[in-house]
């Protein structure tokens, strides 16, 4: 057929009618369509065998190597879809020429706005190309209404086709290298979208959301792809509904992910090796890990805990969200811009920014034109600005702006203390879906928020759930208490309510009592507890805090500790990831979060020895030795303890000290020095940890930089302090800089790793696995009690096989 006769002026699809039909019949036929789609894809993709391997790279991403026997799709079974705009007309000839050469193309559909001047020029270009290159596939012109997003229409057009579709942007394949072009024009018969660009699950790169695979060429699972990419046309069957979405590519990826057991929206293939052979190694991105994992399987030691070794390869990833940012001044906007850029570029979130209470365009902004703030070559932010002084008029304008927003907000970011417009936002029923979360930040904390860009949407939505109580234990060291309290006052708490409890020993001197009675704490309530009977350090620590709920966490601080101003950011980032994020990143085995980074391991029976986690991980071939890690050693020099585990310890300690069910001198944990610490609470906490297989999260920053340090003051456990001994335990504190919280993101991929990617140590600092810790504790419990049943979570009587007294 002549390419000229295939060019038509009128659009063959009636979009309005199609949309109406979708709205009426999708609720009834959604399931039927899903069955048809799956059957259609399976009918077209046959005899695909696969084997999966994962590779962890230095960029924090996880890549997948898949060996398959997928054949190249049949000849003339591929349709190219190429949008054309007024701006892209000058490059249309090059875009069409990029489709020349060996291919499986049957035809090329040009999507063109319904304007006579444009269609005339498009026809002229097509005639010129066809006359010069007679071997080019058939070309068909489809016009679209000017108010319809070409991306949406491209997916709708694909839904009317059979075989496979090559979806492109206005450049066609002109920007792709020969490897990518070879795959896209002669693609393998795979059941999911694949191409060289996409928003990938390891989404914490700081450069741009359009990621390519590493130079090594490993495929990478993706949330969604960006053009150009190939997919079975049947996958677009139901995607008319994406016309309501802000980003159709994201909507398409999310839709496809819901139809697959692996939850992926596509695969980004590598571009630095022989891609024609690499392309035949893509089928099926995740149906289970074949590499080793450090996470435990479901075993009898923890009843009800769900441990799955078929975990996704990302930490806390969730679909992009909608953020509404309401700020009074351009300076506030500038301070928050690193966070907003990270949310936009690495999270793929939609950011709506409204600045009020200012009379000028944002100061010191490069190119503040037309509501665009060009932060850097990789990030520009759009904003709306209102300069009206009348509050009533401002509220009306803001309400109108809310209604203008295309998508309801997930998160509302605003300035703490200025609640006029934030309250209006939360009261709106039109543009703020049920469950919208308000995060109100103090102005002083705005420059130190970049770490928040590493949070997933589900973690953001739980921002207001965890509550950290601070408990200080002090006696007669007024200078030490003053130093600790000063570091607390310099901490960024990001608008959270943080209650403070000060526990003063009976023997405290007058100066200490005077200081603690006059503390000023603006972040929450202060409770002062003064013992009337000498208790000792064990009682002072154990009785210093008790959780009020399972969302309450205790930071226990002896007075010779000093804190980093970013300790709270580390603690909250970790809590949101491992307690409130992706369920696969949560485990009942984790009992707390250390602020202190270990320089020594104290428990080996032969004595204390130096310890360097990064060196250990290098020696054991850990792909990124900068990763935080899990250790069963409870930290007493600044740590967050979890409520369920602390309650269980409160139940364990009275039983243990009473001599039931074990005599007080009974050794519970073999071959550790803590057995000699008869007056330390840590001896007994270590026993509980050992029997359960519990672990604590530890930081692992360069040069032992920590979120807390210990000055090793003379006290209950330190009788003599020498400079040499102090140097063994003193570590540098992480400081805030002009770069904000960038040091906090010195992590693999600039985010906390997924749970099953965290290295695990045992009590003496050797490499281990969670499974081995749980199994060792299970065996020891059986030796001590004779019980072989599986104890319930956090039930000390079941753990010790004792019946509670009625």
């Amino acid at each position: 057929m002549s390419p000229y006769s295939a060019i038509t002026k009128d659009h063959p699809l009636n979009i309005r009618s199609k949309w109406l039909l979708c709205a009426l019949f999708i609720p009834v036929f959604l399931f039927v369509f899903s069955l048809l789609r799956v059957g259609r894809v399976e009918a077209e993709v046959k005899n695909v065998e696969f084997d999966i391997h994962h590779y962890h790279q230095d960029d924090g991403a996880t890549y997948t190597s898949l060996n398959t026997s997928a054949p190249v799709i049949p000849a003339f079974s591929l349709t190219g879809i190429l949008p054309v705009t007024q701006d892209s007309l000058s490059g249309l000839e090059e875009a069409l020429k990029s489709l020349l050469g060996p291919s499986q193309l049957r035809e090329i559909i040009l999507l063109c706005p319904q304007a006579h001047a444009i269609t005339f020029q498009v026809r002229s270009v097509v005639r010129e190309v066809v006359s010069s290159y007679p071997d080019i596939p058939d070309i068909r012109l489809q016009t679209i209404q000017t108010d319809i997003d070409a991306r949406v229409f491209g997916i709708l057009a694909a839904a009317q086709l059979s075989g496979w579709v090559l979806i492109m942007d206005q450049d066609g394949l002109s920007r792709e290298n020969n490897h990518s072009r070879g795959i896209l024009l002669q693609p393998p018969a795979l059941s999911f979208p694949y191409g060289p660009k996409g928003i990938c699950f390891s989404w914490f790169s700081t450069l741009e959301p359009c990621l390519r695979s590493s130079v090594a060429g490993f495929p990478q699972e993706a949330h969604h792809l960006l053009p150009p990419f190939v997919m079975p046309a049947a996958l677009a069957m139901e995607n008319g509904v994406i016309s309501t979405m802000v980003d159709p590519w994201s909507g398409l990826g999310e839709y496809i992910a819901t139809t697959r057991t692996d939850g992926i929206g596509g695969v980004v293939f590598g571009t630095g090796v022989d891609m024609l052979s690499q392309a035949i190694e893509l089928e099926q991105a995740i149906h289970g890990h074949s590499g080793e994992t450090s996470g435990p399987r479901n075993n009898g030691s923890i009843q009800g805990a769900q441990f799955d070794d078929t975990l996704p390869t990302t930490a806390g990833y969730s679909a992009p969200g909608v953020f509404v940012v309401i700020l009074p001044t351009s300076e506030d906007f500038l301070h928050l811009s690193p966070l907003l850029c990270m949310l936009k570029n690495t999270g793929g979130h939609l950011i709506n920014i409204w600045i009020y209470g200012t009379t000028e365009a944002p100061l010191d902004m490069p190119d503040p034109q037309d509501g665009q703030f060009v932060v850097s070559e990789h990030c520009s932010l759009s904003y709306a600005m209102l300069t009206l002084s009348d509050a009533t008029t401002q509220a009306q304008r803001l309400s109108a702006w809310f209604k203008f927003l295309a998508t309801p907000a997930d998160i509302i970011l605003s300035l703490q203390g200025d609640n006029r417009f934030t309250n209006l936002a939360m009261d709106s029923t039109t543009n703020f879906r049920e469950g919208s979360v308000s995060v109100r930040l103090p102005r002083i904390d705005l420059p130190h928020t970049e770490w928040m860009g590493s949070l997933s949407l589900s973690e953001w939505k739980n921002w207001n759930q965890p509550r950290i109580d601070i408990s200080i234990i002090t006696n007669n060291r007024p200078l030490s208490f003053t130093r600790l309290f000063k570091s607390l006052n310099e901490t960024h708490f990001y608008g959270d309510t943080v209650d403070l409890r000060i526990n003063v020993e009976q023997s405290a001197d007058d100066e200490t009592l005077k200081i603690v009675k006059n503390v000023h704490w603006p972040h929450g309530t202060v409770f002062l507890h003064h013992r009337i009977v000498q208790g000792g350090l064990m009682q002072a620590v154990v009785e210093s805090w008790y959780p009020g709920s399972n969302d309450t966490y205790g930071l226990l601080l002896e007075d010779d500790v000093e804190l980093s101003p970013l300790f709270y950011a580390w603690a909250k980032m970790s809590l949101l990831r491992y307690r409130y994020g992706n369920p696969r990143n949560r485990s009942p085995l984790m009992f707390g979060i250390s602020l202190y980074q270990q320089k020594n391991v104290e428990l080996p029976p032969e004595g204390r020895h130096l310890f360097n986690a990064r060196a250990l991980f290098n020696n054991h071939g850990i792909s990124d030795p900068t990763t935080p890690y899990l250790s069963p050693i409870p930290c007493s020099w600044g740590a967050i303890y979890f409520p369920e585990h602390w309650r269980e310890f409160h139940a364990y300690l009275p039983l243990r000290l009473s001599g039931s069910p074990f005599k007080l001198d009974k050794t519970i944990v073999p071959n550790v020095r803590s057995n000699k610490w008869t007056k330390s609470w840590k001896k007994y906490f270590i026993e509980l940890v050992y029997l359960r297989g519990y672990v604590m999260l530890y930081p692992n920053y360069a040069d032992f930089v920590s979120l807390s340090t210990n000055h090793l003051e003379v006290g209950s456990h330190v009788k003599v302090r020498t400079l040499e001994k102090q140097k063994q335990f003193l570590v540098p504190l992480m400081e805030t800089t002009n770069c904000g919280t960038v040091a906090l993101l010195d992590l693999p991929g600039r985010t906390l790793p997924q749970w099953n990617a965290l290295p695990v140590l045992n009590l003496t600092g050797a490499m281990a696995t969670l499974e081995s810790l749980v199994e060792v504790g299970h065996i020891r419990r059986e030796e001590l009690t004779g019980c072989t049943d599986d104890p319930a979570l956090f039930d000390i009587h079941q753990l010790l096989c004792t019946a509670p007294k009625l």
Side-chain angles (χ1 to χ4, degrees):
M1 185 175 80
S2 167
Y4 300 113
S5 61
I7 300 176
T8 61
K9 176 180 180 182
D10 297 325
H11 194 301
L13 299 175
N14 186 321
I15 297 299
R16 298 178 188 272
S17 299
K18 178 178 172 63
W19 177 250
L20 179 60
L21 288 173
C22 287
L24 290 173
F25 292 104
I26 279 179
V28 178
F29 293 109
L30 183 59
F31 180 69
V32 176
F33 283 161
S34 298
L35 292 177
L36 289 173
R37 182 196 63 256
V38 172
R40 184 175 165 189
V41 171
E42 289 180 348
E44 292 175 337
V45 183
K46 299 178 180 179
N47 301 321
V48 177
E49 301 173 355
F50 51 88
D51 181 31
I52 304 105
H53 302 281
H54 291 83
Y55 301 85
H56 299 279
Q57 299 297 308
D58 292 339
D59 60 3
T62 299
Y63 301 96
T64 306
S65 172
L66 305 108
N67 302 312
T68 80
S69 57
V72 174
I73 66 173
F76 307 111
S77 62
L78 179 66
T79 301
I81 298 178
L82 177 68
V84 183
T85 65
Q86 183 68 57
D87 293 335
S88 69
L89 272 173
S90 60
L92 178 58
E93 182 176 352
E94 287 300 314
L96 290 172
K97 287 165 61 177
S98 69
L99 304 176
L100 293 170
S103 76
Q104 310 302 95
L105 281 169
R106 175 178 59 218
E107 66 175 355
I108 302 166
I109 298 175
L110 301 181
L111 303 180
C112 182
Q114 205 170 46
H116 177 72
I118 297 179
T119 57
F120 178 82
Q121 295 177 70
V122 170
R123 290 172 185 273
S124 298
V125 173
V126 169
R127 290 188 180 97
E128 183 67 26
V129 170
V130 170
S131 63
S132 302
Y133 305 97
D135 293 332
I136 196 166
D138 290 350
I139 300 174
R140 177 155 55 100
L141 178 64
Q142 290 189 356
T143 59
I144 60 176
Q145 299 174 19
T146 55
D147 60 343
I148 295 179
D149 190 328
R151 298 172 299 174
V152 172
F153 192 86
I155 298 172
L156 291 174
Q160 309 304 310
L161 301 170
S162 61
W164 279 261
V165 290
L166 168 58
I167 295 180
M168 298 171 279
D169 60 17
Q170 60 193 25
D171 296 314
L173 303 184
S174 60
R175 294 182 179 271
E176 303 306 316
N177 60 31
N178 290 334
H179 293 300
S180 296
R181 289 181 66 251
I183 296 174
L184 294 170
L185 292 176
Q186 293 184 304
L190 304 178
S191 62
F192 50 76
Y194 52 99
K197 296 186 290 187
I199 304 297
C200 293
F201 282 104
S202 55
W203 50 279
F204 294 101
S205 164
T206 59
L207 296 180
E208 57 182 357
C210 179
L211 303 178
R212 290 176 181 268
S213 295
S214 69
V215 177
F218 297 116
Q220 189 173 355
E221 301 98 19
H223 173 263
H224 64 275
L225 299 188
L226 301 175
F229 60 88
V230 172
M231 71 175 188
L235 293 181
M237 179 177 290
E238 296 173 15
N239 280 282
V241 294
I242 66 166
S243 60
T244 62
M245 297 183 179
V246 174
D247 183 356
W249 304 134
S250 176
L252 177 63
E254 290 180 13
Y255 172 79
I256 292 171
T258 63
T259 69
R260 301 180 60 86
T261 58
D262 51 38
I264 65 168
V267 167
V268 176
F269 56 68
T271 58
V273 296
D274 182 359
M275 287 295 101
L276 290 176
S277 60
Q278 179 78 26
I280 310 303
E281 298 178 353
L282 293 177
E283 180 57 48
Q284 197 51 285
I286 314 175
H287 270 300
H289 287 270
S290 58
E292 294 183 357
T293 64
S294 60
R297 279 72 172 170
N298 190 10
N299 65 51
S301 297
I302 300 291
Q303 185 183 50
Q306 297 300 312
F307 300 123
D308 189 355
D309 64 348
T310 59
L311 301 178
T313 55
T314 57
Y317 179 81
S318 66
V322 179
F323 286 69
V324 168
V325 183
I326 307 172
L327 296 170
T329 71
S330 57
E331 185 177 5
D332 298 328
F333 180 25
L334 284 169
H335 286 152
L336 205 61
S337 60
L339 165 62
L340 300 180
C341 284
M342 194 170 179
L343 288 172
K344 177 183 177 183
N345 286 355
T346 64
H349 302 295
L350 177 65
I351 313 296
N352 299 291
I353 303 166
W354 191 68
I355 304 174
Y356 63 92
T358 183
T359 58
E360 299 178 351
L363 302 175
D364 302 324
M365 290 187 180
D367 302 330
Q369 300 172 2
D370 301 325
Q372 285 283 335
F373 170 23
V374 181
V375 182
S376 69
E377 63 176 314
H378 302 298
C379 177
S380 63
L381 299 169
S382 301
Y383 62 89
M385 182 173 291
L386 186 61
T387 60
L388 299 175
S389 58
D390 178 53
T392 302
T393 306
Q394 282 184 324
Q396 294 172 348
R397 289 285 300 276
L398 180 59
S399 180
W401 183 68
F402 290 155
K403 294 177 181 179
F404 176 76
L405 298 180
T407 308
D410 293 295
I411 308 297
I412 304 170
L413 281 172
S414 62
L415 196 67
Q416 189 180 64
D418 193 344
N419 299 327
R420 295 169 295 165
F421 302 111
T422 307
N423 291 337
L424 176 63
M426 295 300 292
D427 290 340
S428 172
T429 58
T430 303
N431 293 82
F432 294 88
R433 59 170 63 102
E434 183 179 355
S436 294
V437 174
S438 175
V439 178
R440 309 187 188 200
L441 300 171
R443 178 169 279 130
I444 193 173
D445 293 338
L446 295 183
H448 309 291
T449 55
E450 188 176 6
W451 66 271
M452 294 160 62
S454 71
L455 302 177
S456 70
L457 182 60
S458 62
E459 292 159 8
W460 271 103
K461 288 188 172 183
N462 283 287
W463 176 269
N464 297 315
Q465 292 302 310
R467 181 173 179 136
I468 298 176
D469 297 335
I470 297 177
S471 183
I472 300 176
I473 299 98
T474 190
N475 186 6
N476 53 8
R477 299 190 292 212
L479 295 181
S480 299
F481 177 87
T482 300
R483 179 183 58 216
L484 169 59
F485 195 72
K486 179 177 181 292
S487 68
L488 277 169
N489 276 323
E490 293 173 350
T491 296
H492 299 283
F493 289 104
Y494 301 96
D496 286 357
T497 298
V498 180
D499 292 337
L500 177 66
R501 178 183 172 110
I502 302 174
N503 305 275
V504 186
E505 185 57 273
Q506 180 268 336
S507 57
D509 57 15
D510 291 340
E511 186 177 357
T512 299
L513 289 172
K514 180 180 179 180
I515 293 172
V516 299
K517 288 177 182 177
N518 292 286
V519 297
H520 172 66
W521 183 249
H523 306 288
T525 62
V526 177
F527 181 85
L528 182 59
H529 176 72
H530 183 204
R531 298 185 67 97
I532 60 172
V533 177
Q534 186 79 14
L537 189 57
M538 181 191 297
Q539 291 85 344
V541 172
V542 176
E543 297 175 4
S544 68
W545 174 75
Y546 195 80
S549 74
N550 284 344
D551 293 313
T552 306
Y553 303 85
L555 171 57
L556 309 184
L557 299 170
E558 296 182 36
D559 58 12
D560 57 351
V561 170
E562 185 178 5
L563 298 167
S564 158
L566 296 176
F567 90 81
Y568 191 83
W570 160 257
K572 184 145 189 178
M573 179 172 67
S574 301
L575 281 174
L576 291 173
R577 175 58 45 86
Y578 299 117
R579 291 279 291 188
Y580 297 92
N582 190 319
R584 292 185 175 95
N585 284 327
R586 309 176 200 173
S587 170
L589 295 178
M590 184 172 172
F591 70 82
I593 300 164
S594 175
L595 310 181
Y596 181 82
Q597 186 171 173
Q598 298 180 97
K599 288 177 68 177
N600 298 271
V601 177
E602 298 190 271
L603 296 183
E606 67 274 12
R608 177 189 303 122
H609 63 74
L610 296 177
F611 176 77
N612 185 318
R614 291 194 172 198
L616 177 68
F617 298 159
N618 267 323
N619 292 338
H620 282 80
I622 302 296
S623 59
D624 193 332
T626 68
T627 178
Y629 61 92
L630 300 171
S631 167
I633 301 174
C635 176
S636 59
W637 293 340
I640 307 285
Y641 284 84
F642 291 177
E644 303 92 338
H645 307 78
W646 194 252
R647 287 194 203 98
E648 187 180 20
F649 178 54
H650 260 246
Y652 174 76
L653 191 57
L655 288 173
R656 185 71 176 94
L657 296 177
S658 71
S660 174
F662 316 121
K663 292 182 178 181
L664 193 56
D665 60 355
K666 180 70 173 179
T667 296
I668 306 299
V669 184
N671 302 318
V672 291
R673 289 179 66 231
S674 57
N675 290 325
K676 300 178 181 179
W677 302 347
T678 57
K679 296 183 179 180
S680 172
W681 66 273
K682 288 177 65 175
K683 163 185 164 66
Y684 302 103
F685 201 97
I686 289 169
E687 291 178 355
L688 176 61
V689 162
Y690 183 80
L691 292 175
R692 282 292 199 185
Y694 289 158
V695 287
M696 172 173 268
L697 180 72
Y698 275 80
N700 185 22
Y701 292 102
D703 303 318
F704 296 101
V705 168
S706 296
L707 290 308
S708 69
T709 190
N710 181 272
H711 290 274
L712 212 68
E713 307 280 8
V714 173
S716 297
H717 298 311
V718 179
K719 304 306 180 185
V720 178
R721 182 180 71 164
T722 64
L723 183 61
E724 180 181 357
K725 190 173 183 180
Q726 188 179 19
K727 287 181 178 179
Q728 291 181 16
F729 296 95
L730 194 65
V731 293
L733 291 172
M734 184 178 292
E735 299 292 342
T736 56
T737 66
N738 293 333
C739 298
T741 57
V742 65
L744 205 62
L745 295 178
D746 182 18
L747 299 164
R750 302 193 77 215
T751 185
L752 288 168
Q754 63 175 339
W755 172 256
N756 74 333
L758 292 167
V760 182
L761 308 181
N762 65 15
L763 285 170
T764 57
M767 295 295 297
T769 67
L770 288 172
E771 292 132 321
S772 66
L773 296 183
V774 170
E775 183 63 20
V776 166
H778 184 82
I779 293 172
R780 183 57 177 157
R781 171 179 176 264
E782 183 176 349
E783 293 172 349
L784 291 168
T785 68
C787 295
T788 59
D789 61 332
D790 298 333
L793 285 173
F794 315 122
D795 188 322
I796 199 62
H797 293 288
Q798 286 202 24
L799 178 69
L800 301 181
C801 299
T802 60
K805 293 182 180 180
L806 300 177

